Amino acid sequence: MTLSRMVAGLLVLVTITLGGQKAGWWAQPEPREPHPPTPAALAFAEAQRAEQARVAAARAENERLAAVQAPAETEDILPAGDGREETFTNCTACHSTAIIRRSGLTRERWDALIDWMVEKQNMAPLQPETRVLIVDYLAGAFPGRSTSPRARNPFLTD
Ligand code: HEC
């Protein structure tokens, strides 16, 4: 009696399970379509692509420039002489030596130029003995030829 009830119960359970499966009662819901991207998401993706392109272009330009850039100057670009090292060390923080090499000034004018560099261009004042060394070096290596606009121009007195 009990056994047949159990069998009957089992049969009912199996029927419900199989029937329900056929009817799709336990089917997983279909995954929903993802939302179409919003205009903001599209704009963001577009901006990201543009930014990546900009970075890539800048990187390529940097590489191109690095390839053509002149090698950094070294001290021996200046004529040998006492004070060359001090001149190179103290005078290339703001500009290359080209601006120095193209100049030709008397000792007084080199001296005055350093004052001008300190007063007008924010150069740190030199130690007195270093300054003498540098001015002597400059006057010897780049003597007054009056090629500098500053030396030639009678209206530039400072
Ligand atoms: C703190 C920065 C700085 C330092 C250091 C410096 N200079 Fe200059 N120098 C300048 C600037 C800026 C100019 C260009 C000013 C301009 O033409 O507008 C200049 C211009 C010059 C010029 C051209 C001047 C002309 O008009 O003909 C010479 C030559 C020169 N410097 C030599 C030197 C020497 C030599 C030293 C080292 C004793 C030196 N500079 C150190 C900033 C500096």
Side-chain angles (χ1 to χ4, degrees):
M1 186 63 190
T2 333
L3 188 69
S4 58
R5 271 196 182 172
M6 275 176 64
V7 171
L10 207 69
L11 272 176
V12 168
L13 217 76
V14 168
T15 314
I16 290 174
T17 310
L18 292 178
Q21 209 169 37
K22 207 170 173 190
W25 291 346
W26 296 286
Q28 289 290 322
E30 283 286 306
R32 286 208 295 164
E33 282 287 306
H35 282 295
T38 61
L42 286 174
F44 181 69
E46 177 57 33
Q48 248 180 345
R49 266 194 301 276
E51 176 64 9
Q52 277 162 7
R54 195 189 63 71
V55 167
R59 199 163 285 153
E61 177 66 2
N62 277 352
E63 275 163 21
R64 192 185 69 76
L65 286 177
V68 296
Q69 217 161 34
E73 286 188 326
T74 51
E75 188 190 313
D76 53 22
I77 196 159
L78 294 174
D82 270 356
R84 172 170 83 168
E85 188 190 332
E86 288 77 5
T87 304
F88 187 79
T89 313
N90 286 286
C91 301
T92 54
C94 310
H95 48 64
S96 76
T97 62
I99 201 167
I100 300 172
R101 286 181 286 116
R102 68 155 198 230
S103 304
L105 302 172
T106 61
R107 195 182 185 289
E108 294 71 51
R109 281 207 162 266
W110 277 117
D111 203 43
L113 189 83
I114 293 182
D115 282 339
W116 175 79
M117 213 78 64
V118 171
E119 282 161 24
K120 298 284 202 287
Q121 311 301 342
N122 248 352
M123 177 179 165
L126 296 165
Q127 294 295 314
E129 59 276 24
T130 313
R131 182 177 170 137
V132 170
L133 195 61
I134 290 178
V135 174
D136 284 346
Y137 170 77
L138 290 169
F142 308 103
R145 294 179 275 114
S146 297
T147 52
S148 154
R150 193 159 287 279
R152 252 185 328 201
N153 189 334
F155 300 104
L156 288 176
T157 51
D158 59 344

